[in-house]
Amino acid sequence: MMKRHTSVGNRLLAALPAADLGLLAPYLQHVLLKQDAVLVRSGDRNDKVYFPHSGAISFMLDMPNGQTVATSLIGHEGAVGMLSVLGPSRSPTTAVVRVAGIASQISASRFHAAFGQSDAIKYAVQTHTRALLMQLQHVTACNALHAVEARMARWLLHIHDRIAGNVVPLTQEALSELLGVRRTTVTLVVRKLRASGAVKSARRGLVEIDRPRLKETACECYEAMRCKYHRIFPLDTHRLSSRPNGSENAPVLNYRT
Ligand SMILES: [Zn+2]
């Protein structure tokens, strides 16, 4: 039997009026997002929509030669598979769970039906689209203009925004995939970040960071994207501050300093 969705930790769902959320709620199922799980593969149909409450998911572009690079990252402010409402198309990217968490999952057909009945859900899709386009534009510029060290610092900060504590659960393999660079380059860059103190340690897939120093290393894209998120998402934090476990250490996206 399907486990019913109870808490609303996803920002898009939290912004929905009760009646509109009610169109989705009977069909939302709580699922665990396990680290490294693939939610949808490039070329496959999006038959599910995921609304993360915690964790982080990267959208990866897979090249024919096997190389891969991250185009965007979402956490509890976004969704996976939501843009399938735009028309029957196959996923252009592979969605990979980078940081484990929980999500509400709904079948794409149920979501499409609710989308057709609700202006608020349409607005949520627009909000998600604006946030994603903004991110894609910045990542494109960043990849063309900024050094790999600054880009690695930026990705680490994006993921840090979605976790509690200062240890980012990323292997060097994952960093190489996110950045679209070789493992040897990742090793060199991590060594540089360690020398500057921005990374305190990097062992067994756990990268301990010094956030202020990492921010000094990151390119301006990190702050620019953070500011633009604030504009796209209204300050409805009072609705978002209630976390399932009430933990003070729970991550709050974009509200770190
Ligand atoms: Zn940049």
Side-chain angles (χ1 to χ4, degrees):
M1 173 156 168
M2 184 180 285
K3 187 181 174 189
R4 291 289 173 85
H5 165 90
T6 47
S7 63
V8 181
N10 177 272
R11 208 160 175 174
L12 295 168
L13 293 180
L16 292 176
D20 302 86
L21 182 60
L23 295 171
L24 302 171
Y27 311 109
L28 289 172
Q29 188 180 4
H30 247 120
V31 292
L32 292 176
L33 302 174
K34 292 185 181 164
Q35 190 170 9
D36 299 326
V38 172
L39 301 184
V40 64
R41 219 169 264 288
S42 169
D44 289 352
R45 289 200 186 282
N46 281 300
D47 53 4
K48 295 187 182 77
V49 181
Y50 298 87
F51 296 94
H53 297 264
S54 56
I57 295 149
S58 68
F59 294 100
M60 310 297 303
L61 197 70
D62 305 319
M63 304 304 285
N65 68 355
Q67 282 184 300
T68 181
V69 65
T71 63
S72 51
L73 184 88
I74 61 124
H76 80 285
E77 81 289 2
V80 176
M82 201 188 205
L83 300 189
S84 58
V85 294
L86 300 177
S89 61
R90 296 180 184 275
S91 178
T93 52
T94 297
V96 183
V97 177
R98 296 296 174 187
V99 179
I102 55 167
S104 290
Q105 172 196 291
I106 186 170
S107 76
S109 56
R110 293 281 189 196
F111 182 74
H112 294 183
F115 173 81
Q117 298 173 54
S118 161
D119 286 343
I121 294 174
K122 286 178 187 141
Y123 184 73
V125 171
Q126 285 175 7
T127 303
H128 173 61
T129 306
R130 287 175 62 205
L132 210 53
L133 282 176
M134 181 276 287
Q135 196 178 156
L136 292 172
Q137 286 165 340
H138 262 285
V139 170
T140 306
C142 189
N143 285 346
L145 301 174
H146 296 147
V148 64
E149 189 179 339
R151 288 194 286 130
M152 185 186 290
R154 177 176 64 74
W155 281 118
L156 285 168
L157 289 168
H158 287 317
I159 293 180
H160 185 236
D161 283 337
R162 293 160 170 92
I163 62 169
N166 284 327
V167 179
V168 179
L170 276 184
T171 60
Q172 298 218 344
E173 181 72 33
L175 280 168
S176 125
E177 287 175 11
L178 285 168
L179 288 157
V181 299
R182 292 172 191 275
R183 282 282 299 277
T184 47
T185 306
V186 169
T187 305
L188 285 173
V189 174
V190 168
R191 204 174 289 160
K192 280 175 92 173
L193 293 178
R194 283 198 64 176
S196 73
V199 164
K200 289 182 174 173
S201 67
R203 289 192 302 274
R204 298 189 298 276
L206 299 171
V207 183
E208 188 183 358
I209 66 157
D210 179 318
R211 184 175 175 88
R213 288 191 181 173
L214 202 58
K215 281 179 80 173
E216 286 170 15
T217 309
C219 50
E220 66 264 33
C221 298
Y222 173 71
E223 270 307 314
M225 289 162 86
R226 214 168 77 99
C227 291
K228 287 181 183 174
Y229 265 121
H230 278 298
R231 277 183 238 141
I232 290 169
F233 288 93
L235 285 176
D236 53 351
T237 49
H238 64 284
R239 301 188 64 171
L240 306 167
S241 57
S242 57
R243 297 194 162 270
N245 59 5
S247 163
E248 288 179 4
N249 292 323
V252 180
L253 178 70
N254 291 338
Y255 290 87
R256 291 177 189 259
T257 55

